[in-house]
Amino acid sequence: MIPYIFFAPIQGITNSEFINTYDTFFGEDIYKYFTPFMRMESYENKIRKKDLKNIHTININIKQKVIPQIVSNNYDDLVNFASQLSEEGFNEINLNLGCPFPMLVKRKLGGGLLGDLNLITALLDQFFSSSASTVDLSIKTRIGLESPDEIFKIIEIFNQFPLKYIIIHPRTVMQQYSEIPYKEIFYECIKISKIPLIYNGDILTKDDYDQIINSFSNNYERKIMIGRGILKNLFLPAIINENFRFTSGSEIALKIQNFLSELLEQYRQRLSGDKNIILKMLQYWEYFSVMFNNNSSKVYKTIKKSRNLNHYIENVNKIFKEYELKFLMI
Ligand SMILES: Cc1cc2nc3c(=O)[nH]c(=O)nc-3n(C[C@H](O)[C@H](O)[C@H](O)COP(=O)(O)O)c2cc1C
């Protein structure tokens, strides 16, 4: 069975500029991309303008690989989101039931919704009885608000609806990103879920992937979602897919450099002012810097010191001259 790799949504990072660029260079190993969560404009029943702009700048040829995500606990929002995106040519949306940002959780949004199972049931019930349900709905969730065994009740609810699949990041909302994911709980979920499940969380190497896949039963479809692991090793999907064909370190470095130039170019078109563009690139370098052997903090600091875009480009070149890339084939 071939692996299907879903690129996880990461707010501020998996924007259209990134998805377009990543797909140009590494796209053959990605099955689907998810947008960071979007919201509806209050009182207007329309997707927020800046979120819609993000959708509109996705390259037309990869639109079918991109799944828009919403954060909401409101039936009208969900239905209007689905309808508007259907008009934009999308046939699937994803509902976020996992975001642990306290501001959202307090308002029963994202992971906060896991604290109100009646509200989840009502939301899904209304969605699937509406005309908007011609658009497929998938869910991305954590395993509970406070306790990992909450997921078993949550799965019982999901089982009542024709959801396309459920992506599970087996940590609780309260855990945020601490400790290791509860893989054994995910395994229990596979046994009781009537809906296909997709594992997500802390896959950084091919070994991590193999361990996870091998610990699940043979009929677990090889579908996984990865976020930070890909940002820390852009080749990870190719390595997992056994599709990594480079012969030399310089060839690898060149591909990363070309990718970085294109990402910069995409943001130059969207943002104005060197400072804003450098700040955006720095967000990426928090992850990309990990690709350099034991020098990630030096690499990050070098980028941070960039005074303007020319200086940024000089610094990137300097980094590739001075620091070696990690052995990425792990
Ligand atoms: C900075 C940051 C922003 C994120 N934004 C979103 C988001 O918008 N929607 C979502 O469903 N998950 C979001 N996530 C969670 C990731 O999609 C993913 O579930 C999590 O990082 C675990 O997977 P990983 O270990 O492969 O990165 C975010 C995670 C991080 C670190």
Side-chain angles (χ1 to χ4, degrees):
M1 273 188 284
I2 31 158
Y4 289 95
I5 300 175
F6 293 64
F7 205 129
I10 299 195
Q11 203 62 230
I13 296 277
T14 57
N15 299 333
S16 53
E17 289 79 7
F18 177 84
I19 293 181
N20 290 341
T21 311
Y22 190 83
D23 201 75
T24 305
F25 288 85
F26 304 94
E28 61 179 312
D29 294 297
I30 298 292
Y31 182 57
K32 297 279 177 195
Y33 298 92
F34 287 70
T35 69
F37 64 73
M38 298 190 232
R39 297 189 207 213
M40 301 299 283
E41 208 83 78
S42 334
Y43 313 114
E44 278 189 45
N45 294 338
K46 291 216 172 83
I47 298 172
R48 264 195 321 190
K49 285 194 183 68
K50 80 171 205 196
D51 291 336
L52 201 57
K53 197 167 169 210
N54 188 45
I55 284 286
H56 286 155
T57 38
I58 292 168
N59 284 346
I60 191 95
N61 61 322
I62 56 166
K63 219 165 147 186
Q64 288 313 313
K65 277 175 94 170
V66 179
I67 303 189
Q69 188 189 62
I70 180 173
V71 74
S72 178
N73 57 16
N74 174 301
Y75 156 74
D76 287 327
D77 281 357
L78 193 58
V79 169
N80 289 324
F81 185 75
S83 308
Q84 205 177 336
L85 284 161
S86 161
E87 282 164 23
E88 298 280 342
F90 293 87
N91 49 22
E92 178 185 337
I93 59 165
N94 181 267
L95 174 65
N96 179 317
L97 293 186
C99 181
F101 297 160
M103 292 274 280
L104 293 185
V105 174
K106 253 195 323 216
R107 293 163 50 212
K108 285 195 188 173
L109 289 165
L113 251 177
L114 298 180
D116 190 341
L117 302 191
N118 290 335
L119 186 52
I120 297 179
T121 312
L123 198 58
L124 295 179
D125 207 14
Q126 287 172 316
F127 177 80
F128 284 109
S129 359
S130 79
S131 57
S133 64
T134 48
V135 174
D136 286 331
L137 179 65
S138 59
I139 282 183
K140 180 162 178 286
T141 187
R142 290 197 173 219
I143 52 176
L145 192 58
E146 289 174 349
S147 160
D149 52 16
E150 290 169 37
I151 190 66
F152 303 121
K153 281 224 169 79
I154 298 169
I155 297 265
E156 274 173 33
I157 294 173
F158 293 159
N159 274 343
Q160 297 166 35
F161 299 98
L163 290 160
K164 189 162 184 199
Y165 50 83
I166 302 157
I167 302 149
I168 299 187
H169 177 195
R171 284 188 168 98
T172 64
V173 173
M174 292 306 160
Q175 251 184 302
Q176 302 232 0
Y177 289 93
S178 66
E179 300 143 59
I180 54 168
Y182 288 91
K183 293 183 190 130
E184 62 297 339
I185 297 261
F186 181 81
Y187 185 63
E188 292 303 312
C189 293
I190 295 177
K191 293 184 195 155
I192 60 166
S193 178
K194 294 184 185 157
I195 298 154
L197 300 185
I198 297 176
Y199 178 88
N200 165 240
D202 292 24
I203 297 179
L204 295 173
T205 62
K206 171 138 170 62
D207 252 11
D208 294 340
Y209 168 82
D210 287 340
Q211 270 179 28
I212 282 165
I213 292 298
N214 295 337
S215 60
F216 302 152
S217 71
N218 281 341
N219 45 23
Y220 176 71
E221 268 198 288
R222 293 175 169 248
K223 290 185 173 163
I224 43 150
M225 174 178 270
I226 311 179
R228 293 166 300 171
I230 304 179
L231 299 170
K232 291 176 180 173
N233 178 357
L234 298 168
F235 295 94
L236 184 61
I239 294 166
I240 290 176
N241 284 342
E242 295 177 3
N243 209 3
F244 188 80
R245 297 190 206 91
F246 289 87
T247 49
S248 69
S250 56
E251 222 184 312
I252 292 174
L254 186 63
K255 181 146 172 172
I256 299 177
Q257 280 176 293
N258 289 340
F259 163 83
L260 288 168
S261 304
E262 178 56 29
L263 186 62
L264 177 66
E265 188 46 42
Q266 292 256 338
Y267 275 114
R268 272 175 126 157
Q269 284 170 24
R270 193 189 94 188
L271 301 172
S272 50
D274 287 14
K275 199 172 161 206
N276 287 336
I277 301 170
I278 292 168
L279 280 176
K280 179 47 83 179
M281 295 309 287
L282 251 186
Q283 251 182 302
Y284 289 98
W285 276 95
E286 262 183 55
Y287 299 97
F288 297 162
S289 57
V290 176
M291 285 189 283
F292 294 85
N293 250 341
N294 302 327
N295 283 310
S296 61
S297 65
K298 282 193 205 150
V299 166
Y300 183 76
K301 277 186 201 142
T302 306
I303 296 288
K304 202 168 171 202
K305 284 187 198 142
S306 307
R307 293 182 301 272
N308 53 44
L309 278 184
N310 285 340
H311 192 213
Y312 166 84
I313 293 167
E314 266 172 42
N315 282 338
V316 172
N317 291 336
K318 189 168 138 195
I319 286 166
F320 277 88
K321 271 199 202 107
E322 289 182 8
Y323 301 111
E324 250 180 65
L325 281 166
K326 230 192 233 169
F327 182 61
L328 294 170
M329 269 240 21
I330 39 171

